[in-house]
Amino acid sequence: MTATPSPPSVIVVFPKAETENRWQQALARALAGRAPRLAVRTFHAAGESLRDGPAPEALYAVGWEPPAKFFERNPQLRAFFSAGAGVDHLLRHPGLPPSVTVVRLEDAGMASQMAEYCCHEVFTLFRRYRDYEQQQHNGVWAELRTVRRGDFVIGVFGLGVLGTHVATTLAGFGYSVIGYSRSPRSLPGIECYSGPGQLDTFLGRSRVLILLAPLTAQTENIIDAHALKRLPAGAHVINVARGGLLDEQALLESLDSGHLASARLDVFRTEPLPVGHPFWFHPKIRLTPHVAAMTLLHQSVEQISDKIAALERGDQVTGCIERDRGY
Ligand code: NAP
Ligand code: GLV
């Protein structure tokens, strides 16, 4: 008996079956009008059917952290759409074939969330809201001095889709904002630095350092003990990029020595942050569980479906990863 070949499809893969189901339904609705020849399946269900049927002809994949055998089971794959802006979860996968185009989310509702998160922290630091909370706790009525706005320089490390939005939003509130990227950038009202030769100068001016670059071979541990020493005394670090950019031990030592004043962390080397990790109860660290900019289902599915339809027509899409630079 010859098996009937499966229709060309999009395969949805997430660590949790429930997430796969939500994405499968949303993608099936969005693609029905854009690329009707494509069926949309979930990896967990397709994995089951492999035991007794032909492998589904998945041409496109959408998801996060595919399991070990994912690429082996989907040999026809042309493109993998990350359900996030970051692609480190894909590029470190040992089975990712060089022929598969990796595409990331571009904003899709994340830039405004990232700006909210970073502005909230910068406002809290600059206006000393935590000191006022402490004063209330102690029944104290007193006006606190703030530094001159021009002296409170905010350094945004990574001037891509998210970093640019964060930098320009903060500049819009009148802060002095500087930026740092791999290649030279030019943004109105923002002094831009680039390349390893300008990193120390950028760090030396950053009273608040916001990390918003991808995790790559070049950025891994880039904020180490040396880099932290370059920051002005009393500086603050906000990490909303990836935990791997920051040397955790060096951060703790810098906070404990009094050189760094505080850290606001959303991302960690190991997530969830392990029980008993020193970050949990450190008095100078405030943390959130990787929520600075969450993937929004509707906007993401719209963006990905438009790109799948474009690829089906033979058109180019934006947001494709350059494998050799790692983002
Ligand atoms: P993007 O548009 O690709 O921008 C990346 C920026 O980082 C670019 O400006 C790039 O420089 C710069 N960069 C890369 N390598 C560098 C290096 N070695 N030295 C200096 N700068 C370097 O990415 P995006 O969409 O803004 O996202 C940035 C990252 O945010 C993601 O990769 C992800 O890890 C993280 N993220 C976190 C959350 C969260 O909830 N915490 C949510 C979404 C994203 P060029 O301008 O020269 O290319
Ligand atoms: C989240 O961290 C993302 O990369 O979108």
Side-chain angles (χ1 to χ4, degrees), residues 14-23 42 44-45:
F14 282 90
K16 288 188 188 156
E18 185 241 326
T19 317
E20 279 188 358
N21 291 336
R22 278 192 300 121
W23 278 74
T42 57
H44 286 92

Side-chain angles (χ1 to χ4, degrees), residues 64 83-88 105 110 241-242 267 290 293 295:
W64 191 261
V87 292
D88 43 301
L105 282 181
M110 283 188 277
R242 285 290 182 266
V267 286
H290 200 145
T295 297

Side-chain angles (χ1 to χ4, degrees), residues 53-211:
E57 300 294 328
L59 301 181
Y60 308 99
V62 177
W64 191 261
E65 289 182 344
K69 296 219 178 292
F70 179 77
F71 294 101
E72 208 177 290
R73 291 207 181 177
N74 291 283
Q76 310 291 328
L77 220 56
R78 293 181 191 163
F80 194 114
F81 290 84
S82 168
V87 292
D88 43 301
H89 65 106
L90 288 169
L91 300 191
R92 68 170 171 252
H93 193 297
L96 176 69
S99 57
V100 172
T101 302
V102 175
V103 190
R104 68 195 197 79
L105 282 181
E106 298 173 282
D107 185 352
M110 283 188 277
S112 50
Q113 296 178 66
M114 204 49 109
E116 280 162 2
Y117 189 99
C118 296
C119 288
H120 172 267
E121 186 62 9
V122 168
F123 297 163
T124 301
L125 296 169
F126 182 64
R127 297 295 308 272
R128 302 186 59 180
Y129 291 139
R130 284 191 200 112
D131 294 330
Y132 284 114
E133 275 168 26
Q134 195 54 49
Q135 285 197 165
Q136 178 186 353
H137 185 73
N138 297 330
V140 173
W141 179 280
E143 202 173 295
L144 298 172
R145 295 173 74 92
T146 54
V147 293
R148 217 173 56 85
R149 193 175 285 255
D151 293 336
F152 199 75
V153 177
I154 299 160
V156 182
F157 184 117
L159 292 175
V161 173
L162 303 180
T164 296
H165 188 65
V166 167
T168 52
T169 305
L170 284 164
F173 280 101
Y175 291 101
S176 286
V177 182
I178 60 175
Y180 178 77
S181 52
R182 194 182 58 94
S183 55
R185 295 258 155 180
S186 160
L187 293 172
I190 292 162
E191 235 178 292
C192 295
Y193 297 85
S194 62
Q198 296 190 338
L199 180 58
D200 279 0
T201 313
F202 163 78
L203 293 172
R205 292 190 60 199
S206 298
R207 180 78 180 251
V208 179
L209 174 68
I210 299 179
L211 298 178

Side-chain angles (χ1 to χ4, degrees), residues 140-312:
V140 173
W141 179 280
E143 202 173 295
L144 298 172
R145 295 173 74 92
T146 54
V147 293
R148 217 173 56 85
R149 193 175 285 255
D151 293 336
F152 199 75
V153 177
I154 299 160
V156 182
F157 184 117
L159 292 175
V161 173
L162 303 180
T164 296
H165 188 65
V166 167
T168 52
T169 305
L170 284 164
F173 280 101
Y175 291 101
S176 286
V177 182
I178 60 175
Y180 178 77
S181 52
R182 194 182 58 94
S183 55
R185 295 258 155 180
S186 160
L187 293 172
I190 292 162
E191 235 178 292
C192 295
Y193 297 85
S194 62
Q198 296 190 338
L199 180 58
D200 279 0
T201 313
F202 163 78
L203 293 172
R205 292 190 60 199
S206 298
R207 180 78 180 251
V208 179
L209 174 68
I210 299 179
L211 298 178
L212 250 175
L215 179 62
T216 67
Q218 283 70 43
T219 61
E220 169 111 50
N221 269 327
I222 195 158
I223 305 303
D224 58 4
H226 168 84
L228 292 169
K229 281 199 189 93
R230 293 298 308 158
L231 295 172
H236 307 269
V237 171
I238 302 175
N239 189 7
V240 280
R242 285 290 182 266
L245 270 70
L246 195 54
D247 178 334
E248 292 191 341
Q249 192 52 39
L251 179 78
L252 287 168
E253 284 167 14
S254 188
L255 288 166
D256 292 342
S257 74
H259 179 66
L260 267 194
S262 76
R264 155 68 73 182
L265 307 174
D266 183 56
V267 286
F268 306 90
R269 278 170 190 268
T270 307
E271 295 182 3
L273 186 66
V275 175
H277 192 288
F279 286 175
W280 274 112
F281 299 109
H282 196 287
K284 294 181 177 174
I285 292 178
R286 285 193 156 64
L287 60 85
T288 43
H290 200 145
V291 291
M294 291 178 276
T295 297
L296 303 179
L297 180 66
H298 178 72
Q299 272 127 300
S300 307
V301 162
E302 286 294 300
Q303 183 177 111
I304 291 170
S305 307
D306 280 343
K307 289 186 182 182
I308 291 176
L311 292 178
E312 283 284 283

Side-chain angles (χ1 to χ4, degrees), residues 9-12 23-41 60 62 81 301-310 312:
S9 65
V10 176
I11 190 153
V12 181
W23 278 74
Q24 188 273 337
Q25 285 160 21
L27 275 162
R29 271 195 302 273
L31 284 168
R34 291 169 167 98
R37 83 172 181 126
L38 297 172
V40 185
R41 304 160 187 279
Y60 308 99
V62 177
F81 290 84
V301 162
E302 286 294 300
Q303 183 177 111
I304 291 170
S305 307
D306 280 343
K307 289 186 182 182
I308 291 176
E312 283 284 283

